[in-house]
């Protein structure tokens, strides 16, 4: 089974997925590839496969990616080799989720939505990973992503974290 979890940056995807993986241990999170720099505490091969632009391009041409997309000036993609695992979770942005829908229509696609755009800004600022310019860029992308949520069969509003975590677990267990 393949689960695609998407939604704007800062909405809480990573937080919710951490809880989901604890509650449903058979799930495995795919490690994406990216050309962005590691954040403090991130490790190559664990959080991401950190690739140079040249290496990313080489692997695109080699047909190694299930999907890939540009996001906020950097490149991100799911390597097909990550799908060798069983019951895989992808945490990806919306363009990539659309590509997966085409390639693997049987995938369960879940959109995580914020209670409001203001709350999304608060969370992005509170996380403290990005500069104010990067936050503005991510919020601009978020507007387009929020407009796409109707494309997803499951939409979970991450307002109270425990409620959203319960709902995500319910959707996943129902599919399994
Ligand atoms: P994403 O992976 O979607 O970019 P994160 O999981 O990193 O988002 O969450 C962004 C920030 O919002 C983090 O600081 C996280 O602790 C916080 N957060 C996540 N869910 C909630 C929630 N339901 N209510 C308040 N803050 C939340
Ligand atoms: P971040 O830089 O915050 O780790 O991720 C930025 C965005 O890239 C997030 O929306 C995240 O879901 C998305 N992303 C992470 N990995 C992938 C991937 O493999 N493919 C695609 N399309 N998006 C990804």
């Amino acid at each position: 089974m393949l689960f695609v979890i998407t939604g704007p940056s800062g909405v809480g995807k990573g937080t919710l997925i951490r809880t989901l993986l604890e509650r449903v241990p058979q799930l495995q999170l795919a490690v994406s590839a990216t050309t962005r720099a590691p954040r403090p505490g991130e490790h190559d091969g664990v959080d991401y496969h950190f690739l140079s632009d040249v290496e990313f391009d080489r692997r695109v041409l080699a047909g190694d990616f299930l999907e890939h997309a540009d996001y906020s000036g950097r490149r991100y993609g799911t390597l097909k080799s990550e799908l060798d695992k069983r019951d895989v979770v992808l945490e990806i942005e919306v363009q990539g989720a659309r590509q997966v829908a085409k390639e693997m229509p049987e995938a369960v696609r879940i959109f995580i939505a914020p209670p409001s755009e203001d709350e999304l800004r608060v969370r992005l600022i509170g996380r403290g990973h990005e500069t104010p310019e990067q936050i503005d860029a991510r919020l601009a992308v978020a507007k387009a992503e929020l407009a796409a949520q109707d494309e997803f069969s499951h939409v979970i509003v991450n307002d109270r974290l425990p409620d959203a975590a319960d709902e995500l677990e319910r959707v996943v267990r129902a599919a399994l």
Side-chain angles (χ1 to χ4, degrees):
M1 295 243 22
L2 183 62
F3 296 93
V4 178
I5 300 183
T6 193
S9 179
V11 75
K13 298 183 297 297
T15 307
L16 285 167
I17 290 171
R18 263 196 305 279
T19 306
L20 179 69
L21 296 177
E22 283 167 15
R23 294 186 183 181
V24 189
Q26 79 199 72
L27 296 176
Q28 300 196 57
L29 184 63
V31 179
S32 293
T34 184
T35 62
R36 82 153 165 74
R39 294 176 184 142
E42 285 185 335
H43 297 289
D44 188 36
V46 178
D47 301 286
Y48 277 105
H49 300 291
F50 292 101
L51 304 183
S52 66
D53 270 307
V54 170
E55 179 64 4
F56 199 101
D57 275 336
R58 189 189 69 73
R59 301 204 65 169
V60 170
L61 290 173
D64 288 351
F65 283 104
L66 168 66
E67 60 75 31
H68 61 91
D70 286 0
Y71 176 89
S72 235
R74 298 293 174 178
R75 311 183 71 191
Y76 295 81
T78 309
L79 292 163
K80 289 177 183 165
S81 53
E82 292 293 319
L83 302 186
D84 294 344
K85 304 168 182 169
R86 294 186 57 204
D87 301 327
V88 176
V89 176
L90 307 185
E91 195 250 275
I92 64 179
E93 51 68 73
V94 167
Q95 304 167 70
R98 285 195 183 115
Q99 293 171 42
V100 176
K102 267 199 203 139
E103 297 287 322
M104 304 184 73
E106 70 281 13
V108 178
R109 293 176 309 125
I110 303 164
F111 188 96
I112 311 293
S116 68
E117 286 184 31
D118 282 347
E119 174 62 16
L120 186 62
R121 178 186 293 274
V122 166
R123 288 184 194 172
L124 269 175
I125 293 170
R127 187 170 65 177
H129 286 157
E130 288 87 16
T131 64
E133 292 74 26
Q134 288 169 333
I135 288 174
D136 284 344
R138 284 178 180 234
L139 286 169
V141 175
K143 276 194 195 298
E145 294 190 322
L146 290 172
Q149 61 185 279
D150 292 351
E151 297 171 26
F152 294 83
S153 45
H154 304 280
V155 177
I156 297 175
V157 178
N158 181 19
D159 189 353
R160 273 191 73 245
L161 189 56
D163 294 344
D166 286 351
E167 199 177 339
L168 181 59
E169 182 184 357
R170 235 184 346 262
V171 167
V172 167
R173 285 199 188 278
L176 285 170

